[in-house]
Amino acid sequence: MPRQLGELEDAVMTRVWQWNRPVTVREVLEDLQQERSIAYTTVMTVMDNLHQKGWVRREVDGRAYRYTAVSTRAAYSAALMNEAWSKSDNPAAALVAFFGMMSPEQREALAAAVRLVQGDVQGDVQAAVRAEVPGEVPADEAADGGTSPER
């Protein structure tokens, strides 16, 4: 089960997921510096930690690394929800409370996802991932629930 990402880890992974391509420490640094003052070595350490934890893989590119996400944000979110739900002493009550917190749009996406899982696909793939960041879940991954092998 994944541990929830820390604030800076999440900020880095958000960029890796959004850009959906191999990224360098320098690219992430420059984007983060638009929001906060941060050192290159800090970003490098965070990205190395994310690599050690299995969130990103890296390949040598000259004197630097290019980092790529191992899974999608949707898969990360699903694992966190599953972990929280599995810790409940009353899973049904936890789900009812969770559904009660959802917006109408989120409940619509949930209904579409349930239909998708039950095999009543008929256009529900787009509805199920509608709330996601555009481009985050490629169509081929959405069609199989995000279980495609690593890219």
Side-chain angles (χ1 to χ4, degrees):
M1 281 293 152
R3 177 184 66 78
Q4 185 170 355
L5 296 170
E7 178 191 352
L8 189 51
E9 290 174 327
D10 187 67
V12 169
M13 284 305 301
T14 294
R15 282 147 180 87
V16 175
W17 282 319
Q18 285 177 339
W19 296 339
N20 198 28
R21 61 173 173 75
V23 300
T24 64
V25 171
R26 176 73 54 201
E27 290 173 306
V28 174
L29 170 72
E30 289 172 358
D31 200 59
L32 284 171
Q33 284 179 330
Q34 295 177 26
E35 301 170 0
R36 62 177 87 188
S37 176
I38 191 166
Y40 180 93
T41 54
T42 301
V43 177
M44 183 177 65
T45 298
V46 169
M47 294 185 82
D48 183 60
N49 289 344
L50 289 167
H51 175 257
Q52 298 300 323
K53 293 176 181 181
W55 289 106
V56 294
R57 65 178 167 266
R58 64 186 181 194
E59 295 179 13
V60 175
D61 183 14
R63 294 178 47 208
Y65 287 112
R66 289 205 173 265
Y67 294 84
T68 308
V70 170
S71 66
T72 64
R73 181 181 275 289
Y76 164 69
S77 297
L80 288 178
M81 288 187 289
N82 186 57
E83 180 180 16
W85 184 54
S86 69
K87 289 182 179 178
S88 174
D89 60 348
N90 188 341
L95 284 175
V96 169
F98 179 63
F99 297 157
M101 295 178 197
M102 292 178 146
S103 69
E105 295 80 18
Q106 290 171 321
R107 284 193 291 278
E108 181 182 319
L110 173 64
V114 168
R115 288 190 302 271
L116 177 66
V117 169
Q118 291 174 337
D120 185 15
V121 179
Q122 300 178 10
D124 284 342
V125 171
Q126 290 301 328
V129 297
R130 183 181 321 144
E132 293 295 321
V133 176
E136 181 176 317
V137 179
D140 60 335
E141 285 187 34
D144 70 0
T147 58
S148 295
E150 291 182 15
R151 287 172 258 167

